[in-house]
Amino acid sequence: MTLSRRRLAAALLAAPAAAGLVLAPLLAQARIVVFDPTNYAQNVLQAARALQTINNQISSLQNEAQMLLGQAKTLASLPYSTLATLQAQVDRTRQLLGEAQALAYDVASIQKAFTTNYGAVSLSASDADLTARADARWTTAMAGFQDALKLQAGVVEGLGASRDQLTSLVGASQGAVGGLQAAQAGNQLLALQSQMLADLIALAAAQGRAQALEAADQAAARADAKARFSKFMGSGSQ
């Protein structure tokens, strides 16, 4: 083999190695160029914005949940009610008033009774008639005092229940979790106050009735005595 041939063969053998040495830096440079800092920064910013949006939505949902819980507490009904007890006490007072003896709480009955036993007496009335009138008035007056005492007893007996209701309602009002419960507790306290006021009015009416009957009896007794005296003087002059 001549010298020129040997040199050509060596050059051909060395060509692949030299090509590799030349291409290696070029490939490395190509890989580095693939990473784009600007694009990466934009992607990170978009991801951060998306995460912030999600966090805002979560906060909004939490606030709505708290608002709904607050509304549920506000609209929660009071679990305690004194309506049945108050109605029972009112019914008891009405029953005692309805049991009025001799002379009921009725305008027509009162007018009839006063016409018969408390009104002006005729001079022609016999002693038996006058005695019957007096007996009827005495019976009515005693019944009036008895009715007043019964009603007093009923009102006093209800004071214990009213006290228990008051304690329970005040406790329920202080422990109210929402506006509705507080309002309902306040309404029941007003209802209890109204019931107690109604008892006092009924008691005053019963006592007034008894006193009025006694006063009417005394006035009628004087009228009867005057009629007897007139009859006596008339019979004496004969």
Side-chain angles (χ1 to χ4, degrees):
M1 182 179 295
T2 63
L3 180 59
S4 58
R5 289 182 179 179
R6 290 179 179 175
R7 290 178 178 176
L8 179 59
L12 292 174
L13 291 173
L21 293 174
V22 174
L23 291 175
L26 294 176
L27 292 174
Q29 184 178 4
R31 291 171 183 168
I32 294 174
V33 172
V34 170
F35 175 76
D36 187 354
T38 302
N39 187 34
Y40 178 76
Q42 291 178 351
N43 292 336
V44 171
L45 183 59
Q46 290 178 356
R49 290 176 177 173
L51 180 60
Q52 184 63 36
T53 301
I54 294 174
N55 289 335
N56 292 337
Q57 291 176 350
I58 292 174
S59 298
S60 178
L61 291 174
Q62 289 176 342
N63 292 334
E64 290 180 2
Q66 291 295 330
M67 182 179 64
L68 291 175
L69 289 175
Q71 290 178 353
K73 290 182 179 180
T74 300
L75 298 176
S77 179
L78 190 69
Y80 179 75
S81 175
T82 61
L83 179 60
T85 306
L86 294 177
Q87 288 179 337
Q89 181 63 24
V90 172
D91 291 341
R92 174 59 176 164
T93 301
R94 292 184 62 184
Q95 178 184 356
L96 290 174
L97 290 174
E99 293 175 355
Q101 306 175 68
L103 187 58
Y105 291 91
D106 181 73
V107 175
S109 299
I110 292 174
Q111 288 179 340
K112 181 179 179 180
F114 267 76
T115 300
T116 304
N117 298 323
Y118 296 90
V121 61
S122 174
L123 295 179
S124 62
S126 64
D127 290 339
D129 293 335
L130 295 176
T131 301
R133 276 167 50 95
D135 289 341
R137 292 194 305 268
W138 180 83
T139 301
T140 302
M142 291 300 297
F145 284 112
Q146 185 178 2
D147 293 337
L149 291 174
K150 286 171 58 179
L151 189 55
Q152 287 177 3
V155 171
V156 171
E157 288 176 357
L159 290 178
S162 298
R163 180 182 181 278
D164 294 339
Q165 294 167 28
L166 179 61
T167 302
S168 300
L169 285 173
V170 171
S173 177
Q174 292 177 344
V177 298
L180 180 60
Q181 288 192 0
Q184 289 179 336
N187 290 338
Q188 293 191 50
L189 283 170
L190 291 176
L192 175 60
Q193 184 181 14
S194 299
Q195 176 261 311
M196 297 177 70
L197 181 60
D199 281 349
L200 291 177
I201 293 175
L203 182 58
Q207 292 175 337
R209 173 176 177 268
Q211 293 172 357
L213 289 174
E214 182 185 24
D217 179 37
Q218 293 175 358
R222 288 194 296 270
D224 289 354
K226 183 178 179 180
R228 281 194 173 97
F229 180 76
S230 297
K231 288 178 63 177
F232 175 76
M233 294 300 294
S235 61
S237 62
Q238 293 176 357

